[in-house]
Structures are given as C-alpha cells and as structure tokens.
Amino acid sequence: MKVARKKFLTLAVMLLLCVGTMAFMIQEKVTKIYLIGDSTMMDYDKYREDYLTSMYPLSGWGQFFQELFDAETVDALGALIQTDSVLVDNRAIGGRSTRSFFEEGRWAKVYQDLMPGDLVMIQFGHNDATLERPLRYVTPEAYKEFIRLYVNQSREKGAIPIVITPVSRNFPWKDGKLENAHGDYYTAAVEVSEELGVRMIDLTMSSMALFQTKGEEFSAKNYFMNLEPGQYPNYPEGKTDNTHFVTEGAKQVAKLVMEGMKELK
C-alpha cells in the first residue's frame, strides 16, 4: 500500500511539473500596436518622470489608448487584430516631424521590434510645417516620402500600417466655423494613403467635427491647455495653448481614433 501510494504521489508531482512547464512555454500571443508621432500622441507619463508634478494636465491621446481595448473592442477589430490581447507601445515624442523621427533613429528601433501582425499607427504633421525649425521642417512632398517609408517598411516586416491625419488644433475659427490648420500636409496624408492603398483614419476631420460641435470656447476650456492663473500649481501664471490637450481632451481624441479603427475595412 505504501509503495503504491508513493508511486501515485510521484506520478502526481511529475504531472504537475509537466503542466507547469507547458504553461510556462505556451505564451499568450499579443498584437503590439506601435504609435509613432508627435506631442499630441505621446505618453507624458512614459517620457517625463516629473510629469505629475511639473506638466500635468498636459496629455497626449496615446496615453489613454490602451484602456480602450477591452475584450469586446478587440473582438470588433477582428479584421485588424488576430489575437486576444493588445499591447500599445507608444513611441511618439514631442517636437518630432516625419523627418526628425526618422533621422534620430527612432523609427529604426520600431522597425527592429516589428513582428508580423503588429500595427503601426502613424500621425505626424504638427511639426513638419515649421519652416523656422530646419531640423523638423519638410515640404508636403517630402512629408509624403517619409510616410511612404514608414508604410512600406512596416509592410516589409508583415506589420499593418495605418496613417492618421493630424489631429486638429482649436484654431483658426472663422464665422463660428473651425478651419483646417494643417492645409497641404492634411492633403498630402490623404493622397499618399490613397496612392499606397493603406488604411487611414481621418482624425483631422473627426476632431474638427468634435471641436466645432462643442464650440470654440468649450473646446478651449475643456480639451486644450488653456489654463487660468493659479488653476494648476505647476502653471501659476496660467497658459494659452490651443494645440496640446488636457486629460479630458486627450481621452476624447483617443476615442475618436478608436472609432476610426472600427470603421476600417
């Protein structure tokens, strides 16, 4: 009896060890979503250690993108995402254009990490037009070339590129209507997306529609970094900024991007 019991316990232990080893070896497949872009997309928590004390409520929409991927959403994105789990890897950084993001070697690091089935979401345009900053500036035609590069090299690795037109600023307003501040760069993003047959989220138009529906004053106070003196300890003199978002604005834009993803074919 004792011998049989000992053999049984030995077999049970071996079985548990085998199950544990198999569980360790079988890793859950995850789709990574790489975000490449500028300050309107970046994760300030990730890049600024002193964010909560020195920069809050400044936020990028990419900070809040991961939390939108619940099980129902992942299932709804079945045409794009072939796994049960999603991990957002936000590589966006403030002040970068399509050109400077590439020349600083930031794209090379993303390219190295890309795996088949990953997504690359590309949103530039805010800094590409800054003629007074030659390290950032690119013409609309050169802007197209860099987007082509990001799209084509993503495809080389078996990844899925998605072009995102630049999110709207809260200006210029004319006769109660918000106009497109990105001009030729918006057109360039649309044209190169059509040329390459790449998926595109028209965030310019969807964000313009949101801000216009809410109105100039509401959007300025609730979505953008327009702060009254003393409203936040880290901005004692206040701030006027109709390009960058406070937390609520970034969250609303993240939702627009998600809605755009769900509409992709």
Side-chain angles (χ1 to χ4, degrees), residues 190-202:
V190 174
E191 288 179 349
V192 77
S193 298
E194 293 175 348
E195 169 199 326
L196 298 178
V198 64
R199 295 171 174 86
M200 187 192 82
I201 296 173
D202 197 343

Side-chain angles (χ1 to χ4, degrees), residues 37-50:
D38 53 42
S39 58
T40 61
M41 177 194 262
M42 75 175 280
D43 184 340
Y44 288 86
D45 281 333
K46 178 179 178 180
Y47 285 99
R48 306 293 176 92
E49 293 180 359
D50 59 351

